[in-house]
Amino acid sequence: MSDLVLHWSPLSPFVRKVMCLVHELGLTPRVSCVRTRVARQEPNLALMALNPLIRIPTLELADGTALYDSVVICEYLDSLVSDATLYPAAGPARWQALRWQALGDGLCDTLILWRHERDRPPEQRQEAMLRASALKVEASLALLERELEALDGAAFGIGHIAIGCALGYLAVRFADLNWQADWPGLAQWHAAFESRPASHATAPPSA
Ligand SMILES: N[C@@H](CCC(=O)N[C@@H](CS)C(=O)NCC(=O)O)C(=O)O
């Protein structure tokens, strides 16, 4: 019987990060997913009653508590499994994993803003914003390409999941960028991430 309700959508990279943990931790029987729509211009009042920011993922616990955002939900899920290994306990490995999570999440934030700007009618688009977004994404991918050895050397965990989900979002929503050609090592790393059963089970549909 599931006791946790996740407000979910198939293309959200933050929801996917949470769902990767659900699968990696063997928690699928405990979580039921409810398709929840969030549109910036049309506040979802039912979700607002749980989360005033009207964002997904939002996780409802059995006692009625609503948890957000994805960072908090992921740590909560990890706390449910006594022998979980997705968060290094302490020291430099922990800060590295949390830093990678921040980079993956920040990359998603940047990509989402970039997409909104790109989808505006041409006369309303801010070119400076588009250029700044492209620059941030390129710098992030370059940094990840430089850190591939460190990523491969670290125990698989929250940082890898956040980065994998960000690259998955990039691949689906910005297919035209063909970033894999510019960052072949990172593309290979991403392919290995997508081949994990948890990644496969949570893969976004092509947009
Ligand atoms: N920092 C949040 C970001 C969540 C987020 O931006 N979710 C998007 C969907 S991908 C959303 O709900 N957008 C609606 C809005 O911002 O109004 C997290 O980690 O959960």
Side-chain angles (χ1 to χ4, degrees):
M1 243 296 273
S2 58
D3 58 323
L4 303 169
V5 176
L6 180 68
H7 291 272
W8 175 97
S9 136
L11 272 162
S12 162
F14 300 103
V15 168
R16 186 184 185 199
K17 183 176 62 148
V18 166
M19 286 306 294
C20 277
L21 263 88
V22 167
H23 283 268
E24 294 280 357
L25 293 167
L27 290 170
T28 45
R30 291 193 56 181
V31 180
S32 64
C33 294
V34 175
R35 175 75 164 99
T36 301
R37 290 175 201 280
V38 283
R40 287 182 183 198
Q41 292 83 354
E42 254 177 74
N44 176 336
L45 299 181
L47 181 60
M48 191 170 76
L50 296 168
N51 176 351
L53 301 172
I54 320 184
R55 283 190 178 157
I56 53 170
T58 295
L59 184 73
E60 284 184 73
L61 311 188
D63 69 0
T65 306
L67 288 187
Y68 43 86
D69 58 5
S70 68
V71 173
V72 176
I73 296 171
C74 287
E75 279 217 45
Y76 173 77
L77 294 172
D78 190 73
S79 77
L80 298 178
V81 177
S82 56
D83 57 351
T85 58
L86 296 176
Y87 288 79
R94 181 171 177 82
W95 302 122
Q96 179 65 290
L98 295 180
R99 169 180 169 274
W100 279 327
Q101 176 177 218
L103 181 59
D105 287 358
L107 186 51
C108 292
D109 287 332
T110 302
L111 290 170
I112 288 168
L113 283 176
W114 189 4
R115 195 168 75 84
H116 281 299
E117 197 60 39
R118 200 180 63 164
D119 290 351
R120 283 179 200 270
E123 65 281 4
Q124 289 174 23
R125 270 182 222 148
Q126 296 182 46
E127 290 302 323
M129 168 88 177
L130 293 172
R131 279 197 303 275
S133 301
L135 193 68
K136 289 179 197 178
V137 170
E138 200 177 319
S140 302
L141 298 181
L143 180 123
L144 286 169
E145 181 94 8
R146 287 197 301 276
E147 295 195 0
L148 284 177
E149 222 176 280
L151 279 165
D152 283 337
F156 182 84
I158 185 64
H160 302 75
I161 293 172
I163 290 166
C165 292
L167 295 177
Y169 184 79
L170 178 66
V172 168
R173 287 295 203 191
F174 289 81
D176 53 308
L177 279 189
N178 194 19
W179 61 274
Q180 296 91 337
D182 292 329
W183 315 109
L186 190 57
Q188 212 178 345
W189 183 91
H190 178 230
F193 169 81
E194 295 293 354
S195 72
R196 295 178 71 86
S199 310
H200 190 68
T202 60
S206 43

